Amino acid sequence: MAECAQTGARAGLLHTPHGVVETPVFMPVGTQGSVKGLSPRDLIEQLDLRLLLANTYHLYLRPGPEVIERLGGLHQFMGWPRAILTDSGGYQVFSLSGLRKVTQEGVLFRSHLNGDAHLFTPESTVDVQLVFGSDILMALDECLEYPASHEAARESLDRTLGWARAAFRHYRQRIQERENCGALFPIVQGSVYGDLRRRCAAELRELDADGYAIGGLSVGEPRALSLEMVEATAPLLPRDRPRYMMGVGLPEELPEYVAHGVDMMDCVLPSRNARNGCLFTSQGRLIIKQARYKDDPRPIDESCPCYACRNFSRAYLRHLFQAGEILYASLATLHNLRRYLEVMRQIRQSILAGEFPAYLNATRARALEELPAEL
Ligand SMILES: [Zn+2]
């Protein structure tokens, strides 16, 4: 592992049952067992992606763990031979399911698809992720809305800590019976309160997990506050284990989190924004529907080697977007993910070369130059 002498940035290798992943790493989101618009062949041949994220809540409700187990596990089901991280389902239960009841045992909720009642417990969500065959599993946590009072955040945190301990007890029993199990990560919660975050990190450390996640941020709080919470948390987590910051971020934010000691990140932004017409380039954002691209022969990003940039003009992509063509979503997603992976590659290279502080400063200077009107 290489560490930056001036910041908390690290470059390392993450070993999983489905291959080695270079860190820091950005994970595209395959919510329903698919990165929208791209096939696994695209992800491997065009992007050389090593690790993606899939959502336990969605796959549990549909098609269900029984079907996935019968079809050979999630890797085989979705035709993806490389590593998969699954979340615990907690975040979606709290964001998608209108009706829910939280107890010490777990969370009772109604499916957003058909209203059926389901119970997620720390033990059941470990079992579901083991059935999927995930390379990295997440422990069930409670995701609080922002803002939350200190008292509410403390109560919720105590529940999350109890769930994490229960998840680990169960996981340690189950991995005795199975081969090649993935690693289980607990999640640091505590809303925007530094004291709660620090206590949570210290208590979760006792679990001696293979990695740790920081959750419950990027839920509407100011960005400076999310970074402050990472700053309060990351130094308390074991130095030799990966740290995963959940649900971030914009391209210019990625180096900021890495500077705070984060090794793994995921976000729907590159794929969702691509579909909505917002493309990330080395020169900033490009809104493809704008009239100025009507007959623009240039590629999305002249410095990008992706298939979309090598073969198609902004004018053509704008036409596909306006016409609602499926090909647009596919090309735009490919490009945006290529851009994110390129940012991560540059971050890693700069850490290994001992030049990360200069890279970070250059990113900050560029972010300031970008016009807010382009957002
Ligand atoms: Zn491109």
Side-chain angles (χ1 to χ4, degrees):
M1 184 174 74
E3 286 181 288
C4 172
Q6 292 170 47
T7 70
R10 306 117 58 82
L13 294 175
L14 181 65
H15 297 266
T16 82
H18 290 88
V20 178
V21 180
E22 293 183 339
T23 64
V25 63
F26 177 83
M27 299 175 279
V29 179
T31 306
Q32 309 274 2
S34 149
V35 175
K36 290 187 201 313
L38 296 180
S39 70
R41 188 178 59 191
D42 298 328
L43 298 176
I44 290 176
E45 292 177 8
Q46 306 280 331
L47 298 171
D48 194 20
L49 189 72
R50 302 300 173 101
L51 171 62
L52 58 75
L53 181 146
N55 287 123
T56 295
Y57 171 89
H58 291 287
L59 294 170
Y60 164 84
L61 290 178
R62 184 179 57 193
E66 300 79 11
V67 170
I68 292 174
E69 185 167 38
R70 270 204 299 282
L71 274 290
L74 188 54
H75 291 84
Q76 197 166 334
F77 184 58
M78 62 184 279
W80 173 250
R82 297 184 175 179
I84 299 175
L85 179 148
T86 44
D87 58 7
S88 69
Y91 179 78
Q92 276 77 23
V93 167
F94 290 97
S95 59
L96 288 178
S97 170
L99 288 165
R100 57 179 183 262
K101 187 165 179 267
V102 183
T103 66
Q104 286 307 113
E105 283 69 50
V107 52
L108 190 65
F109 64 96
R110 289 199 178 276
S111 157
H112 74 291
L113 296 174
N114 59 12
D116 285 356
H118 296 273
L119 175 70
F120 271 176
T121 67
E123 294 85 358
S124 76
T125 50
V126 163
D127 284 337
V128 169
Q129 295 175 81
L130 286 175
V131 162
F132 290 165
S134 309
D135 296 274
I136 300 174
L137 300 71
M138 305 300 298
L140 186 65
D141 63 329
E142 182 173 349
C143 296
L144 269 187
E145 283 161 7
Y146 174 82
S149 72
H150 189 276
E151 193 190 350
R154 185 175 48 76
E155 272 177 28
S156 162
L157 172 61
D158 285 333
R159 218 159 15 237
T160 289
L161 283 167
W163 287 357
R165 291 185 193 106
F168 269 81
R169 269 195 304 276
H170 187 71
Y171 167 77
R172 294 214 155 103
Q173 275 170 9
R174 294 301 309 273
I175 59 174
Q176 308 286 323
E177 309 153 5
R178 303 173 77 103
E179 281 177 14
N180 276 333
C181 288
L184 176 65
F185 288 15
I187 305 172
V188 178
Q189 287 287 350
S191 187
V192 293
Y193 304 105
D195 61 322
L196 298 181
R197 292 262 165 198
R198 281 188 288 274
R199 176 160 74 84
C200 187
E203 294 197 26
L204 291 180
R205 221 189 135 114
E206 290 167 16
L207 294 172
D208 192 26
D210 290 320
Y212 288 82
I214 302 172
L217 292 170
S218 217
V219 290
E221 78 283 1
R223 200 139 292 142
L225 202 50
S226 12
L227 277 170
E228 201 182 301
M229 289 303 108
V230 179
E231 205 168 0
T233 309
L236 299 177
L237 297 173
R239 189 167 153 256
D240 60 347
R241 313 287 158 90
R243 302 169 189 150
Y244 164 28
M245 173 71 183
M246 306 178 85
V248 292
L250 287 164
E252 63 271 20
E253 293 168 350
L254 304 177
E256 299 289 347
Y257 288 106
V258 171
H260 284 78
V262 167
D263 307 298
M264 305 164 66
M265 291 170 274
D266 80 282
C267 196
V268 293
L269 264 181
S271 40
R272 182 178 293 164
N273 280 20
R275 297 194 301 279
N276 295 336
C278 173
L279 302 171
F280 297 107
T281 78
S282 55
Q283 309 301 311
R285 287 166 191 63
L286 186 154
I287 308 301
I288 198 68
K289 72 174 178 202
Q290 289 177 350
R292 61 170 137 161
Y293 303 124
K294 183 168 61 105
D295 51 8
D296 190 335
R298 291 173 296 168
I300 303 167
D301 186 340
E302 270 155 343
S303 71
C304 177
C306 89
Y307 173 74
C309 290
R310 275 188 287 110
N311 292 280
F312 306 100
S313 63
R314 294 173 181 179
Y316 180 62
L317 286 160
R318 178 176 186 272
H319 158 69
L320 293 180
F321 179 78
Q322 300 287 60
E325 283 293 321
I326 294 170
L327 180 60
Y328 166 78
S330 170
L331 293 173
T333 305
L334 180 71
H335 167 77
N336 270 2
L337 288 179
R338 182 67 180 73
R339 176 66 199 148
Y340 265 64
L341 298 179
E342 174 62 17
V343 169
M344 298 313 293
R345 196 190 60 78
Q346 290 173 0
I347 290 175
R348 185 176 156 85
Q349 285 309 113
S350 69
I351 297 169
L352 293 174
E355 293 161 358
F356 180 71
Y359 178 86
L360 182 63
N361 285 335
T363 306
R364 285 176 179 163
R366 255 202 324 276
L368 284 176
E369 280 170 19
E370 268 196 47
L371 294 173
E374 290 270 314
L375 282 168

